[in-house]
Amino acid sequence: MSTIDEKRVHAANTDPLTLFVATDVGLVRVAVAGERVGEIGLLDRRPAHDVATADETIAVATDEDVLFGEDLDETGFGPATAVGFSNDLVAAAPDGTVARRTDDEWLDCGQLEDVRAIDDDLLATPDGVYRLADDELEYAGLDDVHDVAGGTPRAATADGLFRLGNGWLDELDGRFGMVASGPSGVAHAATETAFYAFDGEWTRVEAVERRVVDVARGVYAVCADGTLLTATDDGWREHPLGTPGAHAVVARPDRKPV
């Protein structure tokens, strides 16, 4: 593919971060500092379905294997549809196998049909939310779940957005495909046509018309068409990544000056 590298000047008093975006083209790395976007580059060319991070370590679900760590080492899991961290790395395979990686070994935790997302100990599936507890999968309610978020547990479903309290509580109506938790209780959710933000109450973000598929740290969003959005005082600013078919984004502190 043609190069998508570019340089911009960062704000002087913002901490640099690295974003990792899972796309159909591969894993994209983006240097950011506040609302400013720096170098954009294709880190790995294997189509990526999901990406997760914990303790500055990343994991990537690809058609070939689950990749792990700074060097994107293969783990021997095989093709994966979703990855996440619940203490250890957790992955789901196209055949429904869910496994946890402990001491560089994969432990089979059971079978679920079409795992769509993993966050903390929650898994999103067409049959509902499942919880991974003591290496066993337990049904936790709802139906036709497209995404889950830990912290304050939420689920994006075909019937609406739900928050776990005294049972699953209905927060928003609509067919939701994405939900993400940010710092200090901030959260975001999206349908095919609408993007919502939560900071004490849910409000629709009117200026965003693209389909948002994931949000990192409450201020970096990625859209299905490969557009990166960064939060500013005036709304959300668009930055084309040049990589269509985006699925997920995570952020970690940068390890070198940008």
Side-chain angles (χ1 to χ4, degrees):
M1 62 176 290
S2 61
T3 181
I4 54 174
D5 288 1
E6 69 176 288
K7 299 280 189 178
R8 296 187 180 96
V9 177
H10 290 303
N13 58 352
T14 54
D15 294 328
L17 298 172
T18 300
L19 305 181
F20 297 92
V21 185
T23 80
D24 290 342
V25 176
L27 185 68
V28 177
R29 178 170 55 193
V30 186
V32 296
E35 65 189 58
R36 298 181 180 272
V37 175
E39 184 179 23
I40 302 171
L42 188 61
L43 187 61
D44 189 273
R45 293 180 180 272
R46 284 166 282 194
H49 301 288
D50 197 12
V51 58
T53 186
D55 297 327
E56 301 187 17
T57 299
I58 67 167
V60 188
T62 78
D63 287 336
E64 298 180 15
D65 202 354
V66 173
L67 312 179
F68 182 79
E70 186 72 20
D71 297 325
L72 299 180
D73 296 321
E74 295 185 356
T75 62
F77 179 81
T81 59
V83 289
F85 286 91
S86 178
N87 294 322
D88 298 314
L89 174 61
V90 179
D95 67 0
T97 299
V98 177
R100 183 195 299 276
R101 188 172 187 252
T102 303
D103 297 328
D104 297 334
E105 297 290 335
W106 287 103
L107 173 66
D108 193 334
C109 298
Q111 295 282 129
L112 292 173
E113 182 181 353
D114 187 18
V115 176
R116 295 164 169 170
I118 302 170
D119 196 27
D120 289 343
D121 61 349
L122 302 177
L123 295 88
T125 80
D127 295 325
V129 176
Y130 281 79
R131 187 183 297 274
L132 181 60
D134 298 325
D135 295 326
E136 295 185 357
L137 297 166
E138 301 175 352
Y139 177 66
L142 299 177
D143 185 51
D144 201 359
V145 180
H146 294 276
D147 197 9
V148 285
T152 298
R154 287 186 167 94
T157 82
D159 297 320
L161 182 69
F162 294 84
R163 173 176 57 85
L164 186 60
N166 185 16
W168 288 102
L169 308 176
D170 190 354
E171 287 196 293
L172 291 171
D173 294 330
R175 187 177 180 84
F176 281 83
M178 185 282 295
V179 62
S181 296
S184 303
V186 172
H188 291 85
T191 68
E192 288 274 351
T193 58
F195 183 43
Y196 296 87
F198 179 85
D199 191 3
E201 63 180 357
W202 285 102
T203 57
R204 181 168 177 172
V205 183
E206 298 292 348
V208 176
E209 298 180 353
R210 302 178 187 274
R211 180 164 71 90
V212 176
V213 294
D214 201 9
V215 179
R217 298 206 175 194
V219 292
Y220 302 104
V222 68
C223 304
D225 63 4
T227 301
L228 176 69
L229 306 177
T230 59
T232 74
D233 291 339
D234 299 322
W236 292 79
R237 181 177 299 170
E238 296 185 357
H239 309 270
L241 296 178
T243 50
H247 303 289
V249 59
V250 296
R252 74 160 195 216
D254 204 346
R255 297 179 178 178
K256 62 182 181 179
V258 294

